[in-house]
């Protein structure tokens, strides 16, 4: 009787042992394959849709040539307990990426990041026009944002992000930066609030492309404001004529300088009623902490920069030299 009971127990133990061996062998096989180079020969982009199951994603990866065994890939996900952790989005897979590398990228959500750059001095209308042409974004922009409300810099976005959301990020970035710089401003700067600083920074931004000149130009304009002199900034007249919707495309005329507009600083004293562009960090910082100078005037020097003067006589001589240089260049 004892021998009859012993044989079934021994057979069960053998069966359990075989199952354990097979499970371990299968586990080792899957793990080995997960770390083997995949079939992809060239870098390739694949979009994983929202709501796709692990099997759907494995099929997409096989169709794209990223993996060659979808069942093994799904088995690996289950073994790693990551079958519910895959994130949707656009992914770039490098050549010969391993199934484990694919898995880790999908779990981490390492999607392709697209870039949208707002250059310093762009108007809000120009930013919206550029944004409407940007690929991979969706949705419409209901209205052109307020001038000066968008911070120029490079923004990263994913496939399917909305244009409206990108605008919100630009606005929040400008609000944060403006507050930060205003808190750290020179207390003697003489501006009422951050809004005035934003207006003046937009003028400085459009007046020069030379970074080193910005604090000096800011100092000139602040000096003129203290002396109750009109700013007489050509860039504000250009904005008055174009509304910031497009470049002027020609030289300013005498008629332009007489145009009726609150933005025409040849006709009106003080700052214009609002920004004329979206200034960058450097121009905002220049206005908050301007250079110390007694200059009240500046004019182009013919080589991309400006020459500064403290008196009108000196300025007129500088203007004459610039006109002579310009005339010589035309001849």
């Amino acid at each position: 009787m004892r021998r009859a009971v012993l044989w079934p127990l021994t057979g069960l133990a053998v069966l359990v042992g075989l199952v354990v061996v097979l499970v371990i062998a299968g586990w080792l096989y899957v793990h080995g394959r997960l770390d083997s180079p995949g079939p992809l020969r060239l870098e390739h982009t694949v979009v994983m849709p929202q709501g796709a199951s692990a099997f759907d994603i494995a099929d997409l990866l096989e169709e794209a040539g990223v993996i060659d065994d979808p069942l093994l890939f799904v088995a690996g996900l289950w073994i790693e307990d990551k079958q519910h952790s895959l994130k949707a989005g656009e992914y770039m897979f490098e050549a010969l990426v391993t199934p484990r590398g694919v898995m880790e990228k999908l779990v981490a959500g390492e999607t392709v990041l697209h870039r949208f750059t707002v250059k310093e001095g762009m108007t809000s209308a120009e930013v919206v026009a550029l944004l409407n042409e940007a690929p991979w974004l969706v949705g419409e922009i209901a209205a052109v944002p307020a001038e000066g409300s968008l911070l120029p810099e490079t923004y990263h976005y994913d496939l399917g992000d909305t244009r409206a959301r990108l605008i919100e990020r630009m606005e929040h970035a400008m609000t944060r930066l403006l507050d930060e710089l205003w808190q750290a401003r020179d207390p003697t700067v003489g501006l009422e609030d951050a809004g005035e600083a934003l207006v003046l920074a937009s003028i400085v931004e459009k007046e020069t492309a030379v970074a080193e000149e910005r604090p000096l130009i800011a100092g000139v304009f602040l000096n003129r404001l203290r002396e109750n002199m009109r700013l007489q900034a050509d860039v504000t007249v250009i904005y008055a004529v174009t509304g910031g919707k497009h470049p002027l495309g020609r030289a300013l005329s005498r008629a332009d300088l007489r145009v009726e507009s609150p933005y025409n600083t040849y006709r009106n004293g003080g700052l214009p009623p609002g920004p004329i562009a979206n200034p960058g960090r450097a121009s905002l910082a220049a206005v908050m902490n301007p250079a110390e100078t007694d200059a009240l005037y500046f004019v182009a020097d013919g080589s991309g920069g400006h020459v500064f003067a403290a008196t009108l006589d000196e300025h007129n001589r500088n203007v004459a030299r610039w006109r002579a240089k310009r005339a010589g260049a035309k001849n």
Side-chain angles (χ1 to χ4, degrees), residues 134-147:
W136 316 122
L137 289 168
V138 298
E140 302 295 327
I141 299 171
V144 175
E147 202 70 82

Side-chain angles (χ1 to χ4, degrees), residues 112-120 122 127 130-131 134-137 148-159 161-177 278-281 284:
V112 175
L113 289 179
H114 300 279
R115 294 201 283 182
F116 180 79
T117 299
V118 179
K119 294 181 180 179
E120 291 86 350
M122 292 183 72
V127 174
L130 191 63
L131 201 54
W136 316 122
L137 289 168
S149 64
L150 310 176
L151 181 65
E153 63 177 36
T154 296
Y155 297 86
H156 293 91
Y157 64 91
D158 292 317
L159 172 72
D161 279 353
T162 68
R163 292 180 172 86
R165 175 58 183 151
L166 207 53
I167 287 288
E168 288 177 6
R169 288 170 56 195
M170 296 177 200
E171 291 174 333
H172 292 160
M174 178 61 89
T175 299
R176 288 195 301 269
L177 178 61
N278 292 288
R281 173 185 284 271
L284 287 164

Side-chain angles (χ1 to χ4, degrees), residues 65-150:
V66 178
I67 62 174
D68 55 12
D69 191 337
L71 288 178
L72 179 134
F73 183 77
V74 172
L77 290 173
W78 281 89
I79 289 174
E80 300 285 341
D81 194 26
K82 294 177 179 178
Q83 67 275 17
H84 301 301
S85 302
L86 308 183
K87 297 177 178 63
E90 180 186 15
Y91 291 87
M92 178 69 77
F93 297 104
E94 64 275 13
L96 302 179
V97 60
T98 66
R100 187 183 302 281
V102 173
M103 181 193 312
E104 291 174 348
K105 182 168 287 196
L106 295 176
V107 170
E110 295 176 6
T111 55
V112 175
L113 289 179
H114 300 279
R115 294 201 283 182
F116 180 79
T117 299
V118 179
K119 294 181 180 179
E120 291 86 350
M122 292 183 72
T123 65
S124 292
E126 289 171 336
V127 174
V128 169
L130 191 63
L131 201 54
N132 284 333
E133 297 175 358
W136 316 122
L137 289 168
V138 298
E140 302 295 327
I141 299 171
V144 175
E147 202 70 82
S149 64
L150 310 176

